[in-house]
Amino acid sequence: MESGPAIFAGGAFTLFGAALLVWTGVRVAQGEPVALGVAPRPAAVLAGLFGAASLLLGIWCFGRP
């Protein structure tokens, strides 16, 4: 059974990671910039990597005993 802080951290990381991945995907699909003043391709790659890392960290928090 997870403790309260682990559940909160897992939920926060998972929600943030999923939202960042969805937002990045929508921006790329529409051809809009992911970040203003940054080259589009590196910004999309970095946002995707950070979104995936946050999502995996949240899942890891849920899986801890």
Side-chain angles (χ1 to χ4, degrees):
M1 188 84 185
E2 293 92 6
S3 66
I7 292 171
F8 177 77
F13 280 121
T14 304
L15 182 63
F16 175 75
L20 184 59
L21 286 174
V22 168
W23 182 81
T24 303
V26 168
R27 298 293 286 186
V28 168
Q30 293 178 348
E32 298 289 331
V34 175
L36 294 177
V38 182
R41 199 165 283 158
V45 169
L46 282 176
L49 287 175
F50 279 107
S54 181
L55 186 63
L56 290 174
L57 183 60
I59 293 170
W60 178 77
C61 285
F62 283 132
R64 293 197 45 128

